[in-house]
Amino acid sequence: MEKSEAIRDAATLILRRGDRVLMGRRGGRAVFMPSRLVFPGGAVDAVDLGADVPLTPLCRARLAVGSDCPPGAVAAAALRELTEETGQTLRHSAPLRFIFRAITPRGATRRYDARFFLADADDLATDPDRFGDADEELTELGWRRIDEAAQQNLPFPTRLALAEAAATPDPAGVPFLQSNEARITRIA
């Protein structure tokens, strides 16, 4: 399998509903993270580049650190991927909170600079229990208890993002896991 070192901007949206989060399983034939339990998300596409999603000034500033990708485009990708992969849509005014960033390690078949957003399921414009409009990228879509999801064989960045989704917001900044580095820095 050919490996790529190109890093694509990506976004993930974690929907929280009380003590549960929305997750699904990637297909067994997927090139990236096959058969893994993940949050909806994917690469920033050209269609996202012109979008301007409402974000707080602090969120915009944190998303801009070390990135050429417009903050609104990253947020738009998270919203688009949520809709495509789950059939769920947030209200336009729903606040997104940037909670985690991770860059896929060197040597992976695909590399992403992924930003993880958190939103509340109360801000959905759709029925949170209907997934009929979802594409087929994720299976086993459902609301999983955070403590039970944490016991699954999750990719390391997904596990860290889940912990951030369960935690009280940290005013010190957003955790940032960079490639093969063994440490996490903070985006203030």
Side-chain angles (χ1 to χ4, degrees), residues 7-176:
I7 299 174
R8 289 192 64 194
D9 289 298
T12 297
L13 198 120
I14 303 169
L15 271 181
R16 186 166 174 178
R17 189 179 190 190
D19 68 345
R20 296 175 184 275
V21 289
L22 182 58
M23 298 183 84
R25 189 166 307 281
R26 291 186 50 81
R29 294 181 184 209
V31 175
F32 187 71
M33 293 194 193
S35 303
R36 302 302 290 268
L37 192 61
V38 296
F39 304 110
V44 174
D45 288 342
V47 69
D48 304 316
L49 295 176
D52 190 29
V53 175
L55 298 168
T56 67
L58 180 59
C59 185
R60 261 184 206 288
R62 286 177 171 170
L63 284 166
V65 171
S67 176
D68 293 330
C69 190
V74 176
L79 294 170
R80 178 183 50 75
E81 290 286 345
L82 173 72
T83 301
E84 289 175 4
E85 294 182 357
T86 70
Q88 298 294 327
T89 303
L90 284 171
R91 289 186 204 101
H92 183 69
S93 60
L96 295 181
R97 191 163 58 94
F98 175 39
I99 63 165
F100 183 65
R101 181 175 175 186
I103 296 178
T104 309
R106 289 183 279 295
T109 55
R110 292 200 177 152
R111 295 193 68 203
Y112 296 100
D113 183 348
R115 283 61 151 224
F116 292 76
F117 294 91
L118 180 65
D120 195 294
D122 288 342
D123 290 320
L124 284 170
T126 49
D127 181 341
D129 295 312
R130 284 201 61 233
F131 304 111
D133 293 331
D135 64 15
E136 297 178 2
E137 192 164 336
L138 297 179
T139 62
E140 300 176 35
L141 278 169
W143 297 97
R144 289 171 169 77
R145 282 190 20 197
I146 293 170
D147 59 341
E148 291 175 355
Q151 300 303 314
Q152 300 294 312
N153 180 19
L154 301 175
F156 186 60
T158 303
R159 181 172 304 287
L160 293 175
L162 180 64
E164 288 300 313
T168 303
D170 187 345
V174 175
F176 183 14

